[in-house]
Protein backbone atom coordinates (compact mmCIF):
# COMPACT_ATOMS: atom_id res chain seq x y z
CA UNK A 1 0.00 0.00 0.00
CA UNK A 2 1.44 3.43 -0.90
CA UNK A 3 2.60 5.44 2.11
CA UNK A 4 0.30 8.37 1.25
CA UNK A 5 -2.83 6.18 1.08
CA UNK A 6 -4.64 6.00 4.44
CA UNK A 7 -5.25 2.56 5.90
CA UNK A 8 -8.85 1.43 5.65
CA UNK A 9 -10.48 1.63 9.07
CA UNK A 10 -11.95 -1.60 10.34
CA UNK A 11 -15.52 -1.36 11.46
CA UNK A 12 -16.49 -2.78 14.85
CA UNK A 13 -19.10 -5.48 14.04
CA UNK A 14 -20.71 -5.29 17.49
CA UNK A 15 -21.06 -1.52 17.26
CA UNK A 16 -22.60 -1.86 13.81
CA UNK A 17 -25.11 -4.43 15.16
CA UNK A 18 -26.04 -2.08 18.01
CA UNK A 19 -26.51 0.82 15.58
CA UNK A 20 -28.77 -1.27 13.35
CA UNK A 21 -30.77 -2.56 16.33
CA UNK A 22 -31.27 0.96 17.68
CA UNK A 23 -32.34 2.10 14.21
CA UNK A 24 -34.82 -0.80 14.06
CA UNK A 25 -36.46 0.46 17.24
CA UNK A 26 -36.64 3.97 15.81
CA UNK A 27 -38.26 2.76 12.59
CA UNK A 28 -40.83 0.69 14.50
CA UNK A 29 -41.55 3.67 16.78
CA UNK A 30 -42.27 5.85 13.74
CA UNK A 31 -43.90 3.38 11.34
CA UNK A 32 -44.93 0.35 13.38
CA UNK A 33 -43.96 -3.26 12.70
CA UNK A 34 -45.71 -3.15 9.33
CA UNK A 35 -43.46 -0.29 8.23
CA UNK A 36 -40.24 -2.06 9.13
CA UNK A 37 -37.94 -2.87 6.20
CA UNK A 38 -34.21 -3.41 5.84
CA UNK A 39 -34.02 -0.34 3.63
CA UNK A 40 -35.76 1.86 6.21
CA UNK A 41 -33.43 0.61 8.93
CA UNK A 42 -30.35 1.18 6.77
CA UNK A 43 -31.45 4.76 6.07
CA UNK A 44 -32.16 5.39 9.75
CA UNK A 45 -28.80 3.95 10.83
CA UNK A 46 -26.89 5.66 8.02
CA UNK A 47 -25.38 2.39 6.83
CA UNK A 48 -25.40 0.55 3.49
CA UNK A 49 -28.38 -1.72 2.89
CA UNK A 50 -26.00 -4.67 2.66
CA UNK A 51 -24.88 -4.08 6.24
CA UNK A 52 -28.38 -4.69 7.59
CA UNK A 53 -28.95 -7.83 5.55
CA UNK A 54 -25.48 -9.12 6.44
CA UNK A 55 -26.14 -8.98 10.18
CA UNK A 56 -29.92 -9.57 10.06
CA UNK A 57 -31.03 -11.80 7.21
CA UNK A 58 -34.77 -11.34 7.73
CA UNK A 59 -37.25 -8.83 9.07
CA UNK A 60 -37.96 -11.21 11.96
CA UNK A 61 -34.25 -11.13 12.85
CA UNK A 62 -34.47 -7.36 13.16
CA UNK A 63 -37.58 -7.60 15.35
CA UNK A 64 -35.94 -10.23 17.56
CA UNK A 65 -32.91 -8.03 18.14
CA UNK A 66 -35.07 -5.00 18.91
CA UNK A 67 -37.26 -6.97 21.34
CA UNK A 68 -34.21 -8.34 23.17
CA UNK A 69 -32.77 -4.83 23.39
CA UNK A 70 -36.03 -3.57 24.89
CA UNK A 71 -36.10 -6.45 27.40
CA UNK A 72 -32.50 -5.81 28.44
CA UNK A 73 -33.29 -2.13 28.95
CA UNK A 74 -36.36 -3.03 31.04
CA UNK A 75 -34.28 -5.44 33.16
CA UNK A 76 -31.74 -2.71 33.91
CA UNK A 77 -34.54 -0.28 34.82
CA UNK A 78 -36.20 -2.74 37.22
CA UNK A 79 -32.90 -3.67 38.88
CA UNK A 80 -32.18 -0.01 39.56
CA UNK A 81 -35.79 0.69 40.65
CA UNK A 82 -35.82 -2.11 43.20
CA UNK A 83 -32.30 -1.35 44.46
CA UNK A 84 -33.32 2.22 45.29
CA UNK A 85 -36.42 1.00 47.15
CA UNK A 86 -35.26 -1.91 49.33
CA UNK A 87 -38.28 -1.94 51.62
CA UNK A 88 -41.82 -0.88 50.79
CA UNK A 89 -45.17 -1.40 52.46
CA UNK A 90 -48.10 -2.55 50.34
CA UNK A 91 -49.46 1.01 50.35
CA UNK A 92 -46.13 2.54 49.34
CA UNK A 93 -45.74 -0.03 46.56
CA UNK A 94 -49.25 0.73 45.30
CA UNK A 95 -48.59 4.47 45.10
CA UNK A 96 -45.18 4.09 43.44
CA UNK A 97 -46.42 1.58 40.86
CA UNK A 98 -49.31 3.91 40.08
CA UNK A 99 -46.79 6.69 39.44
CA UNK A 100 -44.92 4.39 37.05
CA UNK A 101 -48.08 3.50 35.13
CA UNK A 102 -49.18 7.12 34.86
CA UNK A 103 -45.77 7.94 33.38
CA UNK A 104 -46.42 5.18 30.81
CA UNK A 105 -49.47 7.14 29.66
CA UNK A 106 -47.66 10.48 29.76
CA UNK A 107 -43.95 11.22 29.30
CA UNK A 108 -43.04 7.60 28.54
CA UNK A 109 -45.95 6.84 26.21
CA UNK A 110 -43.97 6.65 22.97
CA UNK A 111 -41.44 4.28 24.53
CA UNK A 112 -44.21 2.12 25.96
CA UNK A 113 -46.02 1.92 22.62
CA UNK A 114 -42.78 0.76 20.99
CA UNK A 115 -42.18 -1.89 23.64
CA UNK A 116 -45.74 -3.20 23.52
CA UNK A 117 -45.62 -3.34 19.74
CA UNK A 118 -42.49 -5.46 20.00
CA UNK A 119 -44.06 -7.57 22.76
CA UNK A 120 -47.23 -8.19 20.75
CA UNK A 121 -45.20 -9.19 17.70
CA UNK A 122 -44.81 -12.51 19.51
CA UNK A 123 -48.49 -13.24 18.86
CA UNK A 124 -47.66 -14.30 15.31
CA UNK A 125 -43.97 -15.08 15.74
CA UNK A 126 -43.48 -18.06 18.07
CA UNK A 127 -39.71 -17.60 18.03
CA UNK A 128 -40.18 -14.31 19.91
CA UNK A 129 -42.21 -15.82 22.75
CA UNK A 130 -39.30 -16.84 25.00
CA UNK A 131 -38.07 -13.23 24.88
CA UNK A 132 -41.59 -11.87 25.43
CA UNK A 133 -41.91 -14.17 28.47
CA UNK A 134 -39.03 -12.28 30.03
CA UNK A 135 -41.15 -9.11 30.30
CA UNK A 136 -43.62 -10.65 32.73
CA UNK A 137 -40.96 -12.64 34.57
CA UNK A 138 -38.84 -9.54 35.12
CA UNK A 139 -41.83 -7.74 36.62
CA UNK A 140 -42.65 -10.74 38.81
CA UNK A 141 -39.06 -10.91 40.05
CA UNK A 142 -39.05 -7.20 40.89
CA UNK A 143 -42.36 -7.38 42.77
CA UNK A 144 -41.21 -10.49 44.63
CA UNK A 145 -38.92 -8.22 46.66
CA UNK A 146 -42.04 -6.90 48.35
CA UNK A 147 -44.65 -9.66 48.36
CA UNK A 148 -45.23 -13.39 47.95
CA UNK A 149 -44.79 -15.13 44.56
CA UNK A 150 -48.50 -15.57 43.82
CA UNK A 151 -49.29 -11.92 44.56
CA UNK A 152 -46.27 -10.81 42.54
CA UNK A 153 -47.43 -12.85 39.55
CA UNK A 154 -51.01 -11.58 39.80
CA UNK A 155 -49.87 -7.97 40.10
CA UNK A 156 -47.46 -8.32 37.16
CA UNK A 157 -50.25 -9.60 34.92
CA UNK A 158 -52.56 -6.82 36.11
CA UNK A 159 -49.92 -4.15 35.46
CA UNK A 160 -49.45 -5.44 31.91
CA UNK A 161 -53.20 -5.36 31.33
CA UNK A 162 -53.62 -1.88 32.81
CA UNK A 163 -50.78 -0.55 30.69
CA UNK A 164 -52.15 -2.06 27.49
CA UNK A 165 -55.62 -0.76 28.28
CA UNK A 166 -54.27 2.73 28.86
CA UNK A 167 -52.22 2.73 25.66
CA UNK A 168 -54.73 1.12 23.30
CA UNK A 169 -58.08 2.15 24.77
CA UNK A 170 -60.08 5.32 24.36
CA UNK A 171 -59.78 6.27 28.01
CA UNK A 172 -56.64 6.39 30.12
CA UNK A 173 -57.05 4.86 33.59
CA UNK A 174 -57.04 7.48 36.32
CA UNK A 175 -54.87 7.41 39.41
CA UNK A 176 -57.89 6.23 41.38
CA UNK A 177 -58.58 3.44 38.87
CA UNK A 178 -55.02 2.17 39.07
CA UNK A 179 -54.58 2.52 42.81
CA UNK A 180 -57.88 0.77 43.51
CA UNK A 181 -56.91 -2.20 41.37
CA UNK A 182 -53.36 -2.50 42.68
CA UNK A 183 -54.34 -1.98 46.31
CA UNK A 184 -56.84 -4.83 46.04
CA UNK A 185 -54.09 -7.09 44.73
CA UNK A 186 -51.23 -6.00 46.98
CA UNK A 187 -52.94 -5.48 50.34
CA UNK A 188 -53.25 -8.68 52.37
CA UNK A 189 -56.85 -9.59 53.06
CA UNK A 190 -57.92 -9.86 56.69
CA UNK A 191 -58.56 -13.38 57.97
CA UNK A 192 -62.00 -14.73 57.16
CA UNK A 193 -64.33 -14.78 60.17
CA UNK A 194 -64.50 -18.14 61.88
CA UNK A 195 -67.97 -19.66 61.86
CA UNK A 196 -69.09 -21.89 64.70
CA UNK A 197 -69.40 -25.32 63.15
CA UNK A 198 -72.03 -26.23 65.74
CA UNK A 199 -74.52 -23.74 64.27
Amino acid sequence: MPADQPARRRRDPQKRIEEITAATEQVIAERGIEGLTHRAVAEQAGVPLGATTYHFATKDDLITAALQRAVDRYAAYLTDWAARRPGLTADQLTVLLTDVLLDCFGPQRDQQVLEFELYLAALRRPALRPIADQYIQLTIDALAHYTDPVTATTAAVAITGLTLRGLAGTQTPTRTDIETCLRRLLTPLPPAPQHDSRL
Side-chain angles (χ1 to χ4, degrees):
M1 178 183 294
D4 59 347
Q5 185 174 342
R8 188 172 181 179
R9 184 185 301 174
R10 276 191 162 181
R11 301 188 184 279
D12 180 352
Q14 189 55 45
K15 183 178 179 183
R16 173 58 60 85
I17 289 170
E18 291 170 2
E19 291 170 348
I20 293 171
T21 304
T24 299
E25 283 193 305
Q26 292 170 341
V27 170
I28 294 172
E30 294 171 6
R31 310 183 189 185
I33 293 285
E34 66 279 3
L36 179 67
T37 65
H38 279 85
R39 187 173 299 281
V41 170
E43 291 174 356
Q44 182 69 47
V47 301
L49 177 59
T52 65
T53 55
Y54 175 78
H55 292 291
F56 302 96
T58 68
K59 177 176 174 176
D60 281 6
D61 290 338
L62 288 169
I63 296 170
T64 299
L67 177 58
Q68 187 63 64
R69 187 173 192 262
V71 168
D72 292 344
R73 184 171 54 242
Y74 185 53
Y77 164 77
L78 287 179
T79 298
D80 178 67
W81 195 93
R84 290 188 288 113
R85 299 166 178 85
L88 296 173
T89 65
D91 188 64
Q92 290 172 328
L93 183 58
T94 296
V95 172
L96 288 171
L97 289 177
T98 300
D99 290 342
V100 170
L101 287 179
L102 289 173
D103 279 348
C104 290
F105 309 138
Q108 299 298 320
R109 190 180 193 284
D110 289 346
Q111 183 65 35
Q112 289 300 309
V113 169
L114 165 65
E115 292 183 4
F116 263 93
E117 188 148 12
L118 287 166
Y119 178 78
L120 293 173
L123 286 172
R124 297 188 180 276
R125 294 172 173 84
L128 293 179
R129 291 173 190 170
I131 305 174
D133 284 345
Q134 294 176 44
Y135 265 113
I136 290 291
Q137 192 59 53
L138 286 167
T139 308
I140 293 169
D141 292 345
L143 293 175
H145 290 287
Y146 311 106
T147 187
D148 64 274
V150 173
T151 302
T153 301
T154 305
V157 172
I159 288 168
T160 301
L162 284 166
T163 307
L164 184 57
R165 175 192 170 194
L167 294 174
T170 57
Q171 294 185 334
T172 302
T174 66
R175 173 173 288 278
T176 299
D177 293 335
I178 298 169
E179 284 193 1
T180 300
C181 179
L182 293 181
R183 189 165 281 113
R184 173 64 61 88
L185 294 173
L186 296 170
T187 304
L189 295 175
Q194 298 296 316
H195 297 288
D196 192 332
S197 59
R198 296 171 296 177
L199 296 179

